[in-house]
Amino acid sequence: MSDAAAIPKSPAAEVVTKIVNFARVSPGIVAGVAVLLFLLLASFLAPLPYDPVTPDPTSVLQPPSAQHIFGTDANGFDVFSRVVAAGRSDLPLALAGTLASLVIGLLVGLPLSVKSKWSEGFMRALDAFQSFPLIVLSVTIVSLTGNDIQNILYAIVIINGPRFIRLIRSEALAIREARFIEAAIATGARPRRVMFRHIMPNVIDVCLVQCSLTTANAVIVIAALNFLGIGVSPPTPTWGSMVQVGAQAISTGQWWIAIWPGVAIFIAIASLNMLANGIQRRVEGS
Amino acid sequence: MTTARAAQPAVKQKQRRPMLRYILKRIAIVPISVFVLGSVSFFLTFLIPGDPAITILGDFATKEQIAHVNAQLGLDKPVLERYVSYWTNLLQGDLGTSFFTNEPVLSDLGKFLPNTIELVFFSLLFALALGMTIGVIGAYFARRLPDRIMSGITSVLQSVPDFFLALVGIYVFFFLLGWAPAPIGRLPITAGSADERPFLIFSSLFTGDWETLGMAVSHAALPVLALGLVYASYFAKTARGSMGTALTTPQVEFARACGLRERTVVYYAFAASRTTVITYVAILFGSLLGGAAIVERVFNWRGMGQWALDGVLKVDVPIIQGFVITAGLLTLTLFLLLDIVVLLLDPRVSYE
């Protein structure tokens, strides 16, 4: 490191050194973020060899080849173009669902950390709610409120909102015991200020872990609902609906239609889990 | 819920039979939960946008069909009256009939629920065995090479959606290797009416019908594998965590100091973390009752999840309500049993 300090460097190189140093300490975070950024950038910017929503009826069920590197499906869609393009709807939706769950978790979980009979009752109700098979409940709600991709957002929030509430509440309960909260109250800070200025910044690091786990879960929920045909508007590709199309062909050996979007789902979830583990380790270490 | 806490003898002496009191208290809450559950399932129908009958039947429905659905939903009556008659029917065990098949929901449940219970039972058994092995090995060799390998396996299993694993299984074991039968149900088409029997695997095991048992097991293998592998990651994580803590406690050090065999030491550490594992079994069992739906659908397993999913997609309200109530009741019962079992196994739990 002494060499690096001696030679003057351009700002860009300095950033690179910082990233490399960070990667030495937390390889999980850097790898996870890198893969995620790659997926996001690829789905929005990568040049597609074929139009993902225009089928080519002359090449149907082609195995992977030089023309179609991931093959084509029963309708003549190019699987590679669709796998890449599907990230445009799947990833932002997963992130939006996570963000909504986080906001709900903060808005409900922080006030609930004030001990009272009322908050105990609410947690009991939450227990009962969470003990339910939530994936089916969310399918019910999405299909009853209309077959719209935005409604998948509700499903993600229904499943993950309670987890955030629980996590944030229990963290906030522990932080409330700290001396600096006592000090803040003694200096005359109002409850709301204590909650958002003093408690909230201290729960954020735990929330970050939960955020990446939630995004991973959201990717699965979106894929599962799309697999069932919920929130899909046909030519637009999503990973879940592509796996569904491939499922019909897999018993007869056309593996490439279902496997590639499945691999995309796997990579997205694995990188998010890696990120979560990395942050978890940092939070525990500090 | 129960809270782990040091027992307080002073309080204990005041109350006689605290365990019995606790269990009775827990049972006393059940009617309240059932009331909430039933009401939730009733009010679910209010979520349907627009004219429910048209949403359900589609734009091409005839007037009679619409009138029939409206009458069954009771939309021509005031809400309170509907609510009362809903509860009257429910308490008599009448869950209504499906809009599309006209089958009573209760008889559908009798047909499909046993299939799901069997699938979930074997999947969890497999997941438990595999996950515990992975987790215990990881905890025992903490921070060494086996731990890294095991946690690698865990995170791979954690990142695969179960329906995708099911499809890979079908491709490899049915199409490539030909070991598994076609994913078309619980028995080959040639088996005929034997398919109708509830608890196929258990019943053919107990009646000694080896031929049916063989076919049923081979059809169950892939779905059990798919669900079991994915859910093994949950057990592996739990076991790694709780065994990791248990293996560093003073008891374990003491047991080693006493010169007990290593296997006995690990067994004692395991005994200390068993309540966590049992809790997980109950939670996963509850969520898999509906959560196995997609895998059931891929294998045409004809289980409760698949049935409910089809009902949900067709907006078949009585089926949705029947499923919500059944799954809720089963979960309630399961959690009640769980609390009692944990109480019996772990004397540190307080009776509150």
Side-chain angles (χ1 to χ4, degrees), chain B residues 88-171:
Chain B
T88 325
N89 289 336
L90 195 61
L91 292 176
Q92 289 166 350
D94 179 6
L95 291 166
T97 58
S98 158
F99 287 160
F100 294 93
T101 62
N102 274 325
E103 288 280 317
V105 169
L106 205 61
S107 82
D108 269 359
L109 275 171
K111 242 187 287 174
F112 299 127
L113 181 58
N115 296 353
T116 291
I117 291 184
E118 229 173 34
L119 177 65
V120 172
F121 177 81
F122 287 108
S123 305
L124 278 187
L125 206 63
F126 176 57
L128 189 62
L130 181 67
M132 291 304 291
T133 314
I134 293 176
V136 171
I137 291 178
Y140 189 76
F141 296 100
R143 284 156 209 271
R144 281 190 276 162
L145 185 65
D147 185 22
R148 286 206 198 123
I149 297 173
M150 291 305 151
S151 77
I153 296 175
T154 310
S155 41
V156 168
L157 292 180
Q158 204 188 358
S159 307
V160 196
D162 49 10
F163 61 91
F164 178 63
L165 202 60
L167 289 176
V168 175
I170 291 173
Y171 180 69

Side-chain angles (χ1 to χ4, degrees), chain B residues 63-78:
Chain B
K63 282 227 171 77
E64 293 89 68
Q65 282 174 312
I66 293 180
H68 174 70
V69 167
N70 273 336
Q72 247 196 321
L73 284 172
L75 290 177
D76 37 354
K77 290 177 214 134

Side-chain angles (χ1 to χ4, degrees), chain B residues 214-251:
Chain B
M215 288 191 292
V217 167
S218 70
H219 277 79
L222 277 187
V224 165
L225 193 71
L227 286 173
L229 279 175
V230 170
Y231 286 92
S233 67
Y234 291 77
F235 287 115
K237 269 186 108 173
T238 318
R240 172 70 185 80
S242 61
M243 278 294 282
T245 323
L247 278 169
T248 53
T249 52
Q251 288 98 298

Side-chain angles (χ1 to χ4, degrees), chain A residues 189-210:
Chain A
R190 294 223 184 92
R192 198 191 298 164
R193 190 184 161 82
V194 171
M195 214 175 274
F196 290 105
R197 281 299 294 271
H198 299 281
I199 296 181
M200 196 165 84
N202 288 294
V203 298
I204 287 297
D205 50 355
V206 191
C207 284
L208 278 179
V209 178
Q210 186 63 25

Side-chain angles (χ1 to χ4, degrees), chain B residues 21-37:
Chain B
R21 284 173 66 105
Y22 171 78
I23 293 174
L24 287 178
K25 235 189 216 169
R26 271 302 265 110
I27 293 174
I29 305 175
V30 170
I32 304 173
S33 316
V34 172
F35 173 74
V36 174
L37 187 68

Side-chain angles (χ1 to χ4, degrees), chain A residues 57-73:
Chain A
T58 57
S59 61
V60 170
L61 291 177
Q62 296 287 314
S65 64
Q67 279 100 38
H68 299 277
I69 53 170
F70 284 0
T72 60
D73 71 3

